[in-house]
Amino acid sequence: LIRAGKAVVVADDVVGTSEAARILGMSRRWVDNECDIGHFKTAHKPGVTERSQWKIARAEVLARKGMEA
C-alpha cells in the first residue's frame, strides 16, 4: 500500500508456514524443511529464539505455486 510521500508496510506481504502450506497444497512440515534448507529465498525468522516461526514473502509462495502476486 502506497500513500503520498509515505511507504506503508502491509501485513499481507509475508505469510507463515501454515498459510504457505495451504497455498501450495503441502504440509507445514514440508514448508518448514524447505525454509531450513534455503529453498525459500525470502524466508526469515523475525524472532530471536529458535522457536520463532518462519515468515516467507507472499509473492515467492505465489510464484512457486505458479500464480501472480
Side-chain angles (χ1 to χ4, degrees), residues 4-46:
K6 184 176 181 182
V8 178
V9 176
V10 177
D12 290 339
D13 289 349
V14 295
V15 295
T17 54
S18 295
E19 179 69 8
R22 185 190 65 74
I23 292 169
L24 296 170
M26 300 292 186
S27 70
R28 187 190 57 77
R29 182 178 288 175
W30 179 85
V31 175
D32 278 333
N33 187 52
E34 291 290 292
C35 291
D36 285 335
I37 60 179
H39 286 177
F40 282 103
K41 302 301 180 202
T42 60
H44 67 282
K45 288 187 175 182

